[in-house]
Amino acid sequence: MSLLRVLGRPMLASMFVTGGLDSWRRPQNVAPIAEPVVQPVTERVPVLPDRTEDAVRLSGAVQLVGGLLLATGRLSRPAALAIAVTLVPTTLAAHRFWEEEDPDQKTQQRIHFLKNLSMLGGLLIAADDTGSAPSLLWRSRHAAHDLRRDAHLVRHSVRAGAGPAALAGRVRATLSR
């Protein structure tokens, strides 16, 4: 694993470990802010908890566990993707700069919104990072290519061997008469 991955993953994960721990331990602190986003999401996704505090606690747990996995390099691709899924509603709930009327608050919320958008980009890159190992898609494409090549070689060798074998069979049949 490269030095950039060893250093970068924990740096990216640090915000989610601390924020996730806080949301998991004290969901009541952010539940009022999360309410406008959580309720429409929980109505459309029946597996999510109905209570806003429970949904915030679940999101915090996903961010905490995902952050720890990302930081340690264990299952970092699915962990980054799971964190990314929780970051979208978190950002939409907490940083609604378009609703702010105070220019200073609007600027601050826009900065936080763009910061979260940047972290989302980093998470998507981390979710796609194979760590210099070939991805499953690459492996499957090359396995299919290798199978096609092998089938082509078998077909040519069968054709090449069939002609002399047929001739030998005819000569043998003629000689046995």
Side-chain angles (χ1 to χ4, degrees):
M1 184 181 298
S2 76
L3 181 61
L4 291 177
R5 285 183 185 93
V6 169
L7 295 175
R9 285 181 180 157
M11 289 173 153
L12 180 59
S14 64
M15 183 69 182
F16 302 106
V17 171
T18 58
L21 183 61
D22 188 50
S23 292
W24 181 67
R25 291 169 78 190
R26 292 181 289 281
Q28 66 277 5
N29 292 351
V30 293
I33 297 168
E35 183 79 30
V37 173
V38 169
Q39 287 310 313
V41 172
T42 56
E43 289 171 5
R44 289 184 179 93
V45 184
V47 296
L48 293 176
D50 291 333
R51 288 187 50 232
T52 303
E53 285 188 9
D54 293 339
V56 168
R57 182 172 275 129
L58 175 63
S59 177
V62 170
Q63 288 185 359
L64 173 62
V65 172
L68 290 172
L69 289 171
L70 180 62
T72 59
R74 306 261 191 250
L75 300 170
S76 56
R77 293 177 71 195
L81 196 57
I83 297 169
V85 168
T86 66
L87 187 59
V88 172
T90 299
T91 302
L92 292 175
H95 306 297
R96 302 169 74 85
F97 68 90
W98 54 91
E99 293 179 353
E100 289 292 335
E101 293 181 16
D102 178 31
D104 292 336
Q105 280 298 317
K106 187 175 199 135
T107 300
Q108 285 301 312
Q109 289 304 322
R110 185 181 300 124
I111 288 169
H112 288 296
F113 182 89
L114 293 173
K115 172 199 49 109
N116 282 14
L117 193 62
S118 299
M119 289 192 307
L120 179 62
L123 288 168
L124 294 177
I125 290 169
D128 189 48
D129 180 30
T130 62
S132 299
S135 69
L136 292 176
L137 180 61
W138 185 91
R139 290 180 205 176
S140 64
R141 284 181 182 159
H142 281 268
H145 173 74
D146 291 347
L147 284 173
R148 282 192 299 272
R149 187 186 69 231
D150 291 348
H152 180 74
L153 291 173
V154 167
R155 187 174 66 238
H156 280 288
S157 61
V158 166
R159 284 183 183 166
L167 178 62
R170 283 194 301 269
V171 167
R172 188 173 180 193
T174 304
L175 292 176
S176 6
R177 288 189 204 167

